[in-house]
Amino acid sequence: MLHIHDTLSRTKVPFTPVEAGRVRMYVCGMTVYDYCHLGHARMLVSFDIVQRWLRASGLQVDYVRNITDIDDKIIRRAVQTNRRIGDVTSFYIDAMHADERALGVQRPDHEPRATAHIGDMLDIIGRLEDKGLAYRAEDGDVNFAVRGFAGYGKLSGKSLDDLRAGERVAVAAGKRDPLDFVLWKAAKTDEPDDTKWQSPYGLGRPGWHIECSAMSKSLLGLPLDIHGGGPDLKFPHHENEIAQTEGAFGGVLANVWMHCGPLMVDDDKMSKSLNNFRTIRQTVAMGEPDDTRADYVVNPREAEMVRFFIARNHYRSPQNYTPDNLNDAQNALDRLYQALANVAPDDQGVDWNEPQAQAFKAAMDDDFNTSGAVAALFQLAGDANRTGSARTAGQLKGLAAILGLLQQDPQAYLRAPTRYKLGGAVPSAAMDDHAIQALIDARAAAKRARDFAEADRIRAALRDAGVELEDKPGGVTNWRRV
């Protein structure tokens, strides 16, 4: 049975959907004002694997991951670049989708945009006002009164007094309490017209937190089976979601709360605010991406390396980004592909009675323990190399598919250039396939002429250039970049 660590209860709980056989999962998505970085990649890949495993377990999944397309940062980007809000958000949504394709992240079943749910947000705000949980401030904003909601702080595990709101939240004019947060922002005269909507409170726009309450309730109903997001959303975003949704409708917002761990850089969380981030496209593009275009040419070997780098760690654990860690992930993924290159897999699908398949399932049912699942893949790779069994190789490829791995042609994968190998940049990246094959042909001619010294010289030259040769029976020579 699947068990999931629930952030709210701080325990691992057996997972039982509200409706048998169906999972309603909502994950907080991107605020689309810039390119996605590797910290975002961790969230995208982690929850992609979650939904893949739920489906592989025979469950019907309704997966919603929203897009925040109205926000202070988006407005600033539009003003700075003299573009309309819709043009800014459309460009970065296309860029996000390009990143998802590169990383093998499947699209959610629903991808709502906040601006399409303004009416739902206003309905919730009206309910909160009727219950005395929302009030109109002197500056025209509508705020949530946190001290009117008895459960505030239960997700973060802190009392109102512990939260020290003055250090976390700027105290706006008209707030009754520093912790109160904005549900509806009154329009400002210097903001673009396309950032303003009519409401019972005058022209304005929604606060960030109310957006997800409206979209999750509208598309999935209450309670959600799973609500997920990045590590920085637990407080205040998810705490505020709980307060406004449960305050408006009663009951609980979600039965299980999931938060992936942070991606760290030298003990600091990777983030735009710290300026220590690296974008997904910078990491996986073939060459330097053109930042005037949303799409880019992907290096498939490096893109799958990033996915594997994320998948080999448990989703809740902090993960440290360093070039050496990427190098190590690339080398490990290469070993799995080499097993499939050595032994062609059959196409019979996964045999769940096989021991490593059972180990894989046990790991994934234990709070999506992908590190344990990857260990089962390496065991299968070793068995395939040792026995030459196509069935074992088929098991390896079939189980890896559930994690979104090992679906490329092994030979094409191993011949693709990569920057992420021990020793830094790979010299063979400058040598195209035709040049490599010409040297292999010259080596074969030298061997036929019994000029073994020349054959050895060519092999050594290719090795120095990062190309490894493998002589097979019948005079066939395979090669791969290392």
Side-chain angles (χ1 to χ4, degrees):
M1 183 179 186
L2 173 63
H3 287 70
I4 305 175
H5 184 274
D6 173 34
T7 308
L8 180 60
S9 66
R10 295 158 185 78
T11 59
K12 197 181 295 184
V13 297
F15 179 63
T16 304
V18 173
E19 181 182 336
R22 180 191 178 199
V23 179
R24 294 176 296 172
M25 182 169 81
Y26 184 90
V27 174
C28 290
M30 300 300 155
T31 300
V32 283
Y33 70 99
D34 205 346
Y35 296 111
C36 296
H37 59 63
L38 289 177
H40 298 135
R42 187 166 197 208
M43 182 278 291
L44 290 168
V45 171
S46 294
F47 285 102
D48 180 60
I49 291 174
V50 167
Q51 65 90 21
R52 283 171 181 259
W53 180 245
L54 293 172
R55 296 181 201 274
S57 300
L59 295 165
Q60 175 191 336
V61 181
D62 293 330
Y63 177 25
V64 177
R65 193 185 67 234
N66 77 292
I67 293 173
T68 295
D69 62 344
I70 183 66
D71 175 86
D72 291 343
K73 295 173 182 176
I74 297 172
I75 294 172
R76 283 198 295 271
R77 179 56 62 94
V79 171
Q80 289 167 358
T81 58
N82 195 30
R83 287 184 289 173
R84 292 180 56 82
I85 292 291
D87 293 336
V88 171
T89 56
S90 292
F91 178 85
Y92 287 112
I93 289 169
D94 288 345
M96 177 187 71
H97 289 157
D99 290 334
E100 291 170 0
R101 289 191 298 272
L103 297 177
V105 172
Q106 296 174 340
R107 293 283 286 275
D109 299 294
H110 307 280
E111 195 175 53
R113 302 187 186 191
T115 54
H117 289 266
I118 300 295
D120 296 320
M121 300 174 205
L122 290 171
D123 174 70
I124 295 175
I125 295 170
R127 291 170 181 268
L128 293 171
E129 192 176 26
D130 291 343
K131 294 184 177 184
L133 290 171
Y135 62 91
R136 307 184 197 197
E138 295 176 1
D139 59 5
D141 291 349
V142 181
N143 297 325
F144 185 92
V146 296
R147 293 189 183 274
F149 181 72
Y152 194 82
K154 61 184 179 181
L155 184 66
S156 58
K158 300 177 180 179
S159 69
L160 289 171
D161 293 334
D162 290 339
L163 287 170
R164 297 181 60 84
E167 295 180 5
R168 292 177 176 268
V169 181
V171 181
K175 277 191 175 183
R176 296 175 184 172
D177 187 285
L179 270 178
D180 291 352
F181 57 90
V182 177
L183 298 167
W184 187 261
K185 293 186 176 185
K188 297 179 174 59
T189 57
D190 60 346
E191 292 180 338
D193 290 340
D194 55 356
T195 66
K196 303 170 185 178
W197 286 264
Q198 289 287 353
S199 80
Y201 317 105
L203 276 177
R205 58 187 170 87
W208 174 35
H209 311 299
I210 196 68
E211 297 176 356
C212 286
S213 287
M215 287 182 278
S216 61
K217 169 69 165 58
S218 173
L219 289 166
L220 295 174
L222 298 174
L224 308 174
D225 291 301
I226 297 172
H227 194 316
D232 54 334
L233 298 185
K234 183 163 58 175
F235 183 88
H237 183 55
H238 287 163
E239 194 77 73
N240 292 349
E241 268 193 77
I242 289 172
Q244 61 203 8
T245 302
E246 296 181 5
F249 299 105
V252 298
L253 169 53
N255 287 338
V256 175
W257 285 88
M258 295 179 65
H259 294 89
C260 62
L263 187 66
M264 310 297 290
V265 181
D266 296 328
D267 298 324
D268 287 321
K269 182 175 75 71
M270 181 178 286
S271 67
K272 288 187 171 71
S273 61
L274 294 175
N275 197 32
N276 65 351
F277 68 93
R278 182 173 177 82
T279 66
I280 296 171
R281 61 176 46 217
Q282 287 173 329
T283 311
V284 305
M286 190 78 78
E288 196 66 28
D290 180 356
D291 282 346
T292 66
R293 296 177 55 89
D295 59 346
Y296 56 95
V297 178
V298 177
N299 183 317
R301 190 173 183 181
E302 295 176 352
E304 188 167 348
M305 175 274 296
V306 171
R307 186 180 180 95
F308 179 77
F309 167 71
I310 295 167
R312 73 193 302 204
N313 288 267
H314 192 277
Y315 77 92
R316 285 193 293 113
S317 301
Q319 188 171 9
N320 200 33
Y321 166 84
T322 67
D324 282 349
N325 286 345
L326 293 185
N327 290 339
D328 183 65
Q330 187 74 80
N331 283 308
L333 182 60
D334 286 359
R335 292 198 300 273
L336 293 176
Y337 264 109
Q338 187 61 57
L340 296 180
N342 294 339
V343 184
D346 66 21
D347 57 359
Q348 296 180 32
V350 174
D351 174 7
W352 288 105
N353 293 316
E354 185 270 330
Q356 292 309 317
Q358 291 180 350
F360 183 100
K361 183 180 188 305
M364 293 299 290
D365 279 344
D366 183 14
D367 193 29
F368 307 100
N369 181 7
T370 51
S371 57
V374 168
L377 299 185
F378 277 102
Q379 183 63 52
L380 285 167
D383 291 346
N385 284 328
R386 187 178 64 257
T387 65
S389 166
R391 177 80 285 261
T392 301
Q395 284 284 93
L396 169 60
K397 185 175 181 180
L399 289 172
I402 297 171
L403 302 181
L405 299 170
L406 302 187
Q407 301 308 294
Q408 298 184 55
D409 175 78
Q411 182 168 282
Y413 168 89
L414 291 166
R415 290 183 175 182
T418 175
R419 295 164 289 179
Y420 301 104
K421 299 289 283 184
L422 293 173
V426 177
S428 67
M431 185 182 294
D432 65 26
D433 293 6
H434 295 296
I436 293 170
Q437 189 60 52
L439 287 173
I440 292 173
D441 292 343
R443 176 174 175 264
K447 291 174 69 175
R448 286 194 298 272
R450 306 189 64 80
D451 188 351
F452 298 115
E454 175 63 7
D456 291 344
R457 186 197 66 78
I458 294 173
R459 183 181 192 120
L462 284 168
R463 185 184 301 115
D464 290 343
V467 177
E468 189 71 39
L469 303 184
E470 182 182 11
D471 292 324
K472 307 289 283 187
V476 175
T477 298
N478 288 339
W479 65 272
R480 62 187 179 95
R481 286 186 169 92
V482 297

